[in-house]
Structure formats: structure tokens, C-alpha cells
């Protein structure tokens, strides 16, 4: 089971769409759809959560002892910090190199280093990495492959993949703290450095590394917000000039402030959360006190309650 970053070619390497997909051989469980009322209940129990966030979409599905499935927030333990990381230097053969403008492997390693630094800088010291000299000394191996990305179904190129099958391992219920004991680790993620047009740009590799590192830090799913780094489809946004969104930062900071193994919600037996019936609003419409400002897309929006 892997999270894979995919690219649909549109005619130019930079004019492409990208997204993550679950690659798995076993039938998936019924789809779980987070419900706003579940989030409201979770928010009431944790009033310090940073908002806006997409925290429910980070959760891992597992079966609690003697219960039905639940969505559990799972991450690297505090004692794992700094996470030992090894970044392999790629071999760039003639089949991907431009003979007139050859690229150095070190440039791609530097792109990944910048992605690691970006996550560290934005997560308030909650996540830290330590570079190590050998893969044997690492808990996370970032493998750079100097070859064209493989083509999956629907003619998509898989630019990156993070193995998530056994990333979150249940260790039993913690009765005193009302949470699941868990152990989280991701041993490897892979980044392909070329597509059918040749080698990717430094920004494209850095963007792919940023996204895959989000999964490696604990995100099982994807953000529902198109402007976020962790949205499933990148479209033409494979640039790092805008950095992580407010939602990206708030979600991961909240994840790493919560006790590891915190249960977000229990999953109904059919896997689907029924929509809650809400009474119609009463009284005149009210504007939010402050408009929502989207820095990445350059607009502000005043919401009506």
C-alpha cells in the first residue's frame, strides 16, 4: 500500500496535473467521509486546535480493541526527533540527461534538503530531521531515482511514492488516557526525477518531496482544499514559491501537539457518516467578523453565517 504522486502530461512538462493515489491489491474498506459535527465534537474536546485545518483527513483507519473501526491520529513519536534521514544521490544516465545542458545529481539532493528544511521551519520545532551518511543509519530513506517515472493506469506518471501500508501500528488501548497506543514510522519514500519530457526542474522535485514528506510525517489522506500542498491534485501548481499553506501548517502543528494515537472519530459500520440534520437558520444573515484571506490565490472572502 503506497501513496503515489502522479502526473498527467498535457503537452509540456510544466503544464501538467499531479495527484496522489492509493496503490493497493486488497479491496479498500468502505469510504469514510469526515462529518462537520464530528469535527465540532473533537474541536470542543481540544479547543486549542489551530484553525483552519484539515486534521480529519490526516487520520489513519484502524480497529480498536473490542470496537468497530476508528480514525486515529498517528505520527512520529516525540522521542524519535530528530528523525534520522538519508537522501540518496541519483545516477543520471544519458536516457534522461540533456546533452547540451547536463544536470548535476547534487542539485536534486539540494531540492530535497530544502523540502526537509521547509517542514522544520514551519512546524515550530515539533518536527526535526537529522541527516545521516548511510541508509542503514536512517529511519527515513529518501531515494532519488534518475529515471523516467513509471506509467500507471489512466496514462499517469508516478513521480513519487510513500509506503504507508504499515506506517501506523496499533499497540493496544491506553485506558488511562483514552487513546490508542501506536507506533509510527515510514522507512522509505521514492522520488522519480524525470518524466517523458526529460529531467524535472529543481522546483518540481522540491514540490514532490514536500508533498511526499507530508505523508511520511503522518498524513494518510489528502486535503480537500485545492490550494494546499497536500491536496490530491496539483494541476499546474508544482512550484514551491508559495510554500506551505496556512491549512498545511495548522494541520500538522495540531497533529504533533495532540497525544499520539488520539481517536478522532469512530467509523459507522457501513463506513459512511450520515449527514446530520440541521435546523434552518433563524434571524438575519450575519457576516463573519473578519474576511477569509487566501494568500496563495490572492483573494479575500466575507462569509455569511
Amino acid at each position: 500500500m503506497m501513496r503515489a504522486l502522479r502526473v498527467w502530461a498535457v503537452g509540456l512538462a510544466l503544464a501538467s496535473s499531479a495527484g496522489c493515489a492509493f496503490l493497493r491489491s486488497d479491496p479498500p474498506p468502505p469510504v469514510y467521509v469526515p462529518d462537520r459535527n464530528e469535527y465540532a465534537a473533537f474541536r470542543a474536546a481540544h479547543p486549542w486546535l489551530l484553525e483552519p485545518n484539515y486534521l480529519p483527513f490526516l487520520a489513519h483507519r484502524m480497529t480498536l480493541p473490542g470496537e468497530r473501526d476508528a480514525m486515529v491520529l498517528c505520527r512520529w513519536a516525540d522521542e524519535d526527533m530528530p528523525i534520522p534521514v538519508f537522501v540518496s544521490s541519483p545516477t543520471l544516465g544519458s536516457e534522461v540527461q540533456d546533452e547540451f545542458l547536463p544536470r548535476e545529481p547534487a542539485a536534486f539532493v539540494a531540492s530535497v534538503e530544502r523540502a526537509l528544511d521547509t517542514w522544520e521551519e514551519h512546524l515550530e520545532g515539533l518536527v526535526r530531521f537529522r541527516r545521516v551518511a548511510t541508509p542503514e543509519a536512517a529511519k527515513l530513506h529518501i531515494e532519488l531515482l534518475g529515471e523516467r517515472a513509471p506509467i500507471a493506469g489512466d496514462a499517469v506518471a508516478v513521480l513519487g511514492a510513500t509506503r504507508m501500508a504499515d506506517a501506523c501500528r496499533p499497540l493496544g488501548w491506553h485506558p488511562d488516557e483514552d487513546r490508542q497506543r501506536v507506533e509510527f514510522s515510514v522507512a522509505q519514500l521514492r522520488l522519480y526525477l524525470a518524466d517523458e519530457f526529460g529531467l524535472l526542474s529543481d522546483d518540481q522535485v522540491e514540490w514532490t518531496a514536500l508533498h511526499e514528506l507530508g505523508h511520511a510525517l503522518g498524513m494518510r489522506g489528502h486535503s480537500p482544499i485545492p490550494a494546499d500542498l497536500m491536496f490530491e491534485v496539483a494541476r499546474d501548481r508544482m512550484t514551491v514559491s508559495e510554500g506551505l499553506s496556512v491549512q498545511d501548517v495548522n494541520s500538522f502543528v495540531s497533529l504533533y501537539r495532540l497525544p499520539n494515537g488520539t481517536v478522532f472519530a469512530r467509523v459507522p459500520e457501513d463506513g459512511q457518516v450520515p449527514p446530520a440534520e440541521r435546523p434552518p437558520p433563524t434571524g438575519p444573515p450575519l457576516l463573519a467578523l473578519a474576511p477569509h484571506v487566501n494568500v496563495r490565490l490572492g483573494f479575500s472572502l466575507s462569509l455569511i453565517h
Side-chain angles (χ1 to χ4, degrees), residues 60-74:
H60 296 243
R61 183 169 177 167
M62 63 179 62
T63 302
L64 300 183
E67 295 190 37
R68 60 176 184 265
D69 284 5
M71 303 304 295
V72 176
L73 296 166
C74 193

Side-chain angles (χ1 to χ4, degrees), residues 50 119-127 249 253 257:
L50 300 181
W119 278 109
E120 278 194 335
E121 291 165 5
H122 284 78
L123 298 192
E124 302 180 358
L126 296 167
V127 168
V249 174
V253 169
R257 285 181 177 174

Side-chain angles (χ1 to χ4, degrees), residues 31-39 55-57 71 264-265 271 273:
V31 175
Y32 167 77
V33 181
D35 179 79
R36 67 167 59 93
N37 293 312
E38 288 179 315
Y39 177 77
L55 193 65
F57 297 87
M71 303 304 295
F264 172 73
V273 176

Side-chain angles (χ1 to χ4, degrees), residues 5-7 9 13 90-99 108 143-152 156-160 190-200 205:
L5 180 66
R6 307 183 302 176
V7 166
T91 299
L92 304 177
S94 59
E95 67 277 7
V96 295
Q97 278 281 23
D98 184 332
E99 61 178 313
F108 297 108
E143 186 176 7
L144 301 184
L145 301 173
E147 54 190 79
R148 287 187 173 86
I151 303 298
V156 296
V158 180
L159 286 187
R190 291 181 172 181
L191 304 176
Y192 290 90
L193 304 182
D195 60 12
E196 62 182 299
F197 303 100
L199 289 172
L200 302 176
V205 173

